[in-house]
Amino acid sequence: MLLRLRLLEFRCHERLEFFPTPGRNHLVGQNGRGKTSILEAAWFLSRLRSFRTGQPREMARWPGKGFAIEADCAATAGGPAEHLIVRWNDGARETFLDGNKIAMPEFWGRLPTVLLSAEDTVLIRGPAARRQAWLDALESLAVPAHLVAVQRYNAVLKQRNAWLREWAGGRRGDRALGEVLDAQLVATGLAVTAGRVRAAEAAGRLAEPLLEAFFGGAAVCRFAYRPGFDPAGGEEAARTLLREAAPSEQRQGRTLAGPHRDEWIIQWKGKSVGRFGSEGEQRLSALLLRLIEAARVREARGRWPLFLLDDALTPLDPERKLTLEQLLPADAQILQAGTVMPDGGAVWEIGPGSCLLPAIP
């Protein structure tokens, strides 16, 4: 639960402090006042990345070169609070827990959040890396060590690609180094694959009641995970795959087998939603994945995440909008950005100069 959020030099906010209520919190105000930026800050504090940009420097208030986000959060209302800080300054990121500097894997997800946004269809129709990252996040919300496995795999992959580029450039790479990198790629890759298998199985299980609520049955939707390394084949199968790919890899200068080649496909009535689905099907699929994330947090941690709603309801038809409202847990904390004064919940109006005050209906 988010008890306090403080932004310093973040987006359009020079300084902003916010004390949300335990239930639903509506952020209202004119366009350009920084409502979505508050959601973005909470998301960045949780996932250490933005849902709006891949460049953290764009989140620094112009013309500055850095920003800070602070928060007090607790597992339950009235429970012991943790003080979280993330600072970004001119390319360097630091994370702190209760005043002590900690590493990214220990910080990631301490404030669990789930984002519901109308822009989330990129998760469905975007490149495979988007869905790989979603599976990794789903597993890391329950098993934080999976995030470390992904980091290790990516580090080995980067080294191996550099080694392969030597071959592609006409120089013969050190074969002994190549054998070491192959062994490391297999070991770390199979660890990542095992986590994604667990995440894919959890997604299928947690999706069933959601599909029942949205469509009256789970038969309409199926998930298909296609790993780059066969988890059943183990190390020998992975090594064989690398040996077979070696000539092509040395010509192209990049690794052609492993979890970075995974695909996770969402199918509606037998067709890929990403390739053949309508805009509406892709939008509903994205919402489904985010609600699966929330259910995963509830299952693993015994509490709901902080829900961040950024224009998620607007594109839905009235029936689906009502269904989504009913699926949002009554005992969850929600931050919702909009321009219209809503019915129910605490309403906070953002005025000029990042002034955030309770609104009077």
Side-chain angles (χ1 to χ4, degrees):
M1 177 177 294
L2 182 63
L3 306 176
R4 180 182 73 101
L5 182 67
R6 185 169 184 246
L7 313 184
L8 299 172
E9 301 293 333
F10 186 85
R11 293 287 188 182
C12 63
H13 301 294
E14 181 179 5
R15 278 175 175 75
L16 181 141
E17 195 162 23
F18 176 37
F19 295 86
T21 67
R24 195 159 193 156
N25 296 265
H26 299 274
L27 303 172
V28 299
Q30 297 177 4
N31 291 328
R33 290 283 171 82
K35 301 181 296 296
T36 296
S37 296
I38 295 175
L39 305 187
E40 181 184 24
W43 176 261
F44 191 87
L45 189 78
S46 175
R47 305 291 183 98
L48 296 176
R49 63 182 179 87
S50 168
F51 58 82
R52 301 166 78 186
T53 177
Q55 301 295 327
R57 64 174 55 88
E58 294 180 7
M59 293 182 283
R61 183 172 178 266
W62 191 87
K65 295 183 178 181
F67 61 83
I69 307 168
E70 301 180 15
D72 295 324
C73 56
T76 59
E82 292 183 337
H83 184 57
L84 304 176
I85 301 176
V86 57
R87 294 177 185 151
W88 191 90
N89 186 48
D90 203 18
R93 184 186 63 205
E94 296 179 306
T95 48
F96 299 85
L97 170 63
D98 293 333
N100 299 310
K101 190 173 181 179
I102 61 175
M104 186 271 273
E106 188 180 354
F107 188 91
W108 190 96
R110 295 196 76 91
L111 172 66
T113 61
V114 166
L115 171 73
L116 281 71
S117 169
E119 304 299 322
D120 248 358
T121 52
V122 69
L123 186 60
I124 306 300
R125 61 189 177 204
R130 292 275 189 169
R131 291 174 292 283
Q132 293 168 14
W134 184 84
L135 281 174
D136 290 334
L138 189 68
E139 179 64 7
S140 298
L141 287 168
V143 184
H146 179 74
L147 193 63
V148 178
V150 173
Q151 286 184 314
R152 288 173 177 168
Y153 175 78
N154 288 336
V156 173
L157 179 65
K158 183 178 180 180
Q159 287 180 286
R160 191 172 187 272
N161 283 341
W163 178 78
L164 286 169
R165 283 195 293 272
E166 293 184 6
W167 287 86
R171 294 179 295 163
R172 289 186 175 274
D174 184 339
R175 289 190 179 276
L177 175 61
E179 291 176 0
V180 171
L181 291 173
D182 283 358
Q184 292 178 345
L185 190 81
V186 167
T188 58
L190 287 173
V192 170
T193 300
R196 289 180 181 173
V197 167
R198 292 192 299 268
E201 291 173 348
R205 172 172 46 79
L206 295 171
E208 290 185 8
L210 298 171
L211 289 167
E212 183 68 34
F214 263 119
F215 308 106
V220 70
C221 182
R222 288 287 183 270
F223 301 140
Y225 176 47
R226 299 175 182 173
F229 282 161
D230 179 7
E235 290 190 11
E236 185 56 39
R239 287 180 177 275
T240 299
L241 200 60
L242 290 178
R243 284 195 296 269
E244 293 173 349
S248 296
E249 289 184 334
Q250 291 171 9
R251 286 195 304 271
Q252 298 182 34
R254 60 193 178 100
T255 302
L256 299 177
H260 64 291
R261 309 279 288 187
D262 286 2
E263 180 56 282
W264 190 62
I265 300 172
I266 305 173
Q267 298 175 331
W268 287 60
K269 299 179 181 178
K271 66 180 181 182
S272 167
V273 183
R275 294 182 62 191
F276 305 110
S278 67
E279 183 77 20
E281 289 172 335
Q282 292 176 354
R283 188 177 298 119
L284 288 172
S285 296
L287 286 174
L288 174 65
L289 297 193
R290 294 310 189 190
L291 292 172
I292 289 172
E293 284 183 52
R296 181 73 157 163
V297 172
R298 176 71 170 181
E299 180 181 73
R301 305 191 186 188
R303 67 183 192 272
W304 292 109
L306 170 65
F307 286 86
L308 307 173
L309 274 63
D310 184 34
D311 201 28
L313 301 177
T314 302
L316 300 179
D317 61 65
E319 182 180 353
R320 297 276 165 72
K321 188 180 296 185
L322 177 61
T323 300
L324 178 58
E325 287 278 11
Q326 293 171 342
L327 286 173
L328 292 174
D331 57 340
Q333 188 179 36
I334 300 172
L335 302 187
Q336 181 172 355
T339 56
V340 180
M341 193 72 72
D343 296 326
V347 182
W348 306 85
E349 186 168 10
I350 305 179
S354 300
C355 179
L356 188 63
L357 297 172
I360 300 175

